[in-house]
Amino acid sequence: MEQYPLLFAFSDKVAGKGYLAVVTVHGTALAAKEDEGWWVYGVKPGGLAESGVTLPEAYIEFRKSLLRVLFDLAAEAPDFYAFRKAATEFFSEVNEPTRGEWEAARALVRQGKLDLEGIRHETAESPRRIDIKELQTLALTPEDNRLEDEELGVAA
Amino acid sequence: MLDACAPGWTKTETEHHYCVKWKGRTYPSLSKGKHGKKAGAGEVQVGQVRQLVRQFGIINCAKKHLGVLQ
């Protein structure tokens, strides 16, 4: 089975009860080519996995699923601080067996024995984290509109 | 399988997923399959079950109950 160590990062907005939050995730995932197609398994956060016919499709489903978890947490949280706590806890749960496979795949990348065509190498030393900020909506202006950076790389 | 390998597990339904919890561990993204809103979704896929049992640390027990995890 082909397995690839991924690093990903994205930002998105999450609306809660009386607040709007910007959530930036710098996470880790393992991509695996299996009989039924591609799977992307979360390492940190570890509580999700999604599939697709191609790796880009699987990653897009993974990304959507992660965002939907954040939406679910926002729906349950009574306020921003409870949402931030719940989202941080969700992100912090590492899937240890999947992390072991991720480490093994990263070792192969570092030895030059494994690569994913078309996806750049990223250093795995960049910290994995989730940042959650509350937007002060009354202070927003159209100048705050921007395309959010999104990153996907092979850990090297 | 969860009754045998994760006794006391709980499942709650959110808008988008089933959230499964056991002994302080959480798998918040279990697909609702045909019951959910995702168009064309089948039942829970083996990859999600595989990830869930890994998240809960019950791989060896789960393999005894679900041959598809072998």
Side-chain angles (χ1 to χ4, degrees):
Chain A
M1 189 196 329
E2 303 167 35
Q3 293 182 322
Y4 303 89
L6 301 180
L7 299 171
F8 64 91
F10 70 89
S11 282
D12 231 311
K13 293 179 180 57
V14 177
K17 294 170 184 169
Y19 65 87
L20 185 63
V22 174
V23 181
T24 302
V25 179
H26 295 257
T28 330
L30 180 75
K33 178 82 167 67
E34 298 177 9
D35 291 339
E36 64 268 26
W38 282 90
W39 276 88
V40 175
Y41 296 104
V43 173
K44 184 173 183 177
L48 70 167
E50 289 293 343
S51 66
V53 175
T54 65
L55 176 53
E57 182 181 312
Y59 175 70
I60 286 170
E61 291 303 314
F62 177 84
R63 168 98 163 66
K64 284 189 205 173
S65 185
L66 199 164
L67 191 56
R68 287 191 192 110
V69 170
L70 295 175
F71 290 165
D72 289 340
L73 295 176
E76 293 171 2
D79 55 38
F80 169 75
Y81 300 101
F83 166 69
R84 185 171 65 184
K85 180 174 183 287
T88 302
E89 287 173 355
F90 157 66
F91 176 79
S92 301
E93 269 199 57
V94 173
N95 192 300
E96 293 294 346
T98 306
R99 181 167 78 164
E101 291 180 339
W102 187 94
E103 297 279 0
R106 182 177 66 166
L108 291 175
V109 172
R110 288 179 167 174
Q111 293 164 24
K113 296 178 181 176
L114 187 68
D115 202 358
L116 251 185
E117 193 177 333
I119 299 186
R120 65 182 183 187
H121 284 196
E122 295 282 353
T123 171
E125 278 70 37
S126 58
R128 304 290 91 194
R129 66 188 191 278
I130 185 169
D131 297 321
I132 305 165
K133 293 184 174 63
E134 185 177 7
L135 280 182
Q136 300 304 317
T137 55
L138 291 179
L140 291 174
T141 71
E143 280 73 36
D144 292 299
N145 288 323
R146 61 176 63 86
L147 290 175
E148 300 292 350
D149 288 333
E150 185 145 355
E151 298 171 7
L152 181 65
V154 173
Chain B
M1 177 271 291
L2 285 177
D3 287 338
C5 302
W9 66 281
T10 62
K11 182 179 81 173
T12 54
E13 185 174 355
T14 65
E15 182 179 352
H16 300 102
H17 302 110
Y18 289 121
C19 179
V20 184
K21 295 186 179 185
W22 181 66
K23 281 193 172 181
R25 303 290 289 177
T26 305
Y27 193 88
S29 62
L30 195 64
S31 171
K32 288 186 175 182
K34 288 185 283 191
H35 306 288
K37 297 178 184 177
K38 190 172 166 185
E43 293 303 329
V44 175
Q45 295 173 291
V46 64
Q48 288 200 348
V49 177
R50 188 181 299 130
Q51 184 76 342
L52 183 153
V53 301
R54 289 173 153 219
Q55 187 77 346
F56 286 0
I58 57 172
I59 302 166
N60 291 337
C61 177
K63 282 181 177 177
K64 295 175 190 171
H65 294 270
L66 291 175
V68 70
L69 294 179
Q70 294 293 340

